[in-house]
């Protein structure tokens, strides 16, 4: 039997075997998708999950400005994109509060975005500012 016919026959047999594996039982469809489950959480539940992870609530008003000012004092470029800086600070608090390793490196990575490059030395200053400002206390 020529080689290409053998390969085609094997491929057809595999395809037939795969289609025959369907049991017709749609139990998998009964389970909600992970994204549907996550969207069903209340805001209070989301806040509790964030708090348990060591992430402070999103600051608004004067608290937001205090955070941005504290960050700008140690690494001025990171506040060029204010929303990204706030999100990075909240996520960095998770590492700080969880006694994570390589905190300076983690801060440098979190506060590097678009055209903003943050060094580990700046990351150390950011960590110090977040701790001293009390922002990371949950």
């Amino acid at each position: 039997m020529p080689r290409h016919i053998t390969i085609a026959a094997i491929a057809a047999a595999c395809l037939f075997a795969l289609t025959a594996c369907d049991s017709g039982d749609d139990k998998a469809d009964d389970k909600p998708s992970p994204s549907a489950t996550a969207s069903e959480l209340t805001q209070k539940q989301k806040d509790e999950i964030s708090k348990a992870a060591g992430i402070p609530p999103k600051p608004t008003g004067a608290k937001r400005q205090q955070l941005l000012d504290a960050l700008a004092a140690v690494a001025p470029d990171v506040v060029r994109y204010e929303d990204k800086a706030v999100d990075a600070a909240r996520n960095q608090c998770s590492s700080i509060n969880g006694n994570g390793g390589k905190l300076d490196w983690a801060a440098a990575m979190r506060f590097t975005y678009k055209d903003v490059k943050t060094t580990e030395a700046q990351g150390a200053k950011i960590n110090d500012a977040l701790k001293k400002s009390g922002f990371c206390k949950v």
Side-chain angles (χ1 to χ4, degrees):
M1 186 183 264
R3 185 175 183 181
H4 66 280
I5 294 175
T6 305
I7 293 172
I10 292 172
C14 289
L15 183 61
F16 177 73
L18 288 174
T19 58
C21 290
D22 185 18
S23 66
D25 190 6
D26 292 334
K27 288 184 182 176
D29 293 339
D30 295 340
K31 295 181 183 177
S33 68
S35 61
T37 305
S39 66
E40 293 172 6
L41 293 175
T42 65
Q43 187 59 45
K44 183 179 178 183
Q45 290 170 320
K46 290 176 184 178
D47 292 343
E48 289 172 359
I49 291 168
S50 292
K51 185 176 180 177
I55 300 173
K58 198 169 208 170
T60 57
K63 287 186 179 186
R64 177 184 166 95
Q65 192 57 51
Q66 288 170 349
L67 171 64
L68 293 171
D69 290 345
L71 293 171
V74 296
D77 286 345
V78 301
V79 296
R80 186 177 305 152
Y81 304 101
E82 293 180 355
D83 290 339
K84 287 194 175 292
V86 169
D87 289 343
R90 292 178 69 223
N91 288 323
Q92 186 62 16
C93 287
S94 177
S95 291
I96 291 169
N97 292 332
N99 296 317
K102 297 185 178 183
L103 289 176
D104 299 343
W105 176 84
M109 294 300 104
R110 284 191 171 109
F111 286 89
T112 294
Y113 30 76
K114 294 186 180 186
D115 57 341
V116 176
K117 173 83 169 116
T118 305
T119 65
E120 280 191 55
Q122 289 172 313
K125 291 178 182 178
I126 289 169
N127 286 328
D128 191 46
L130 290 173
K131 291 173 188 174
K132 285 183 179 177
S133 71
F135 176 71
C136 289
K137 292 182 181 172
V138 289

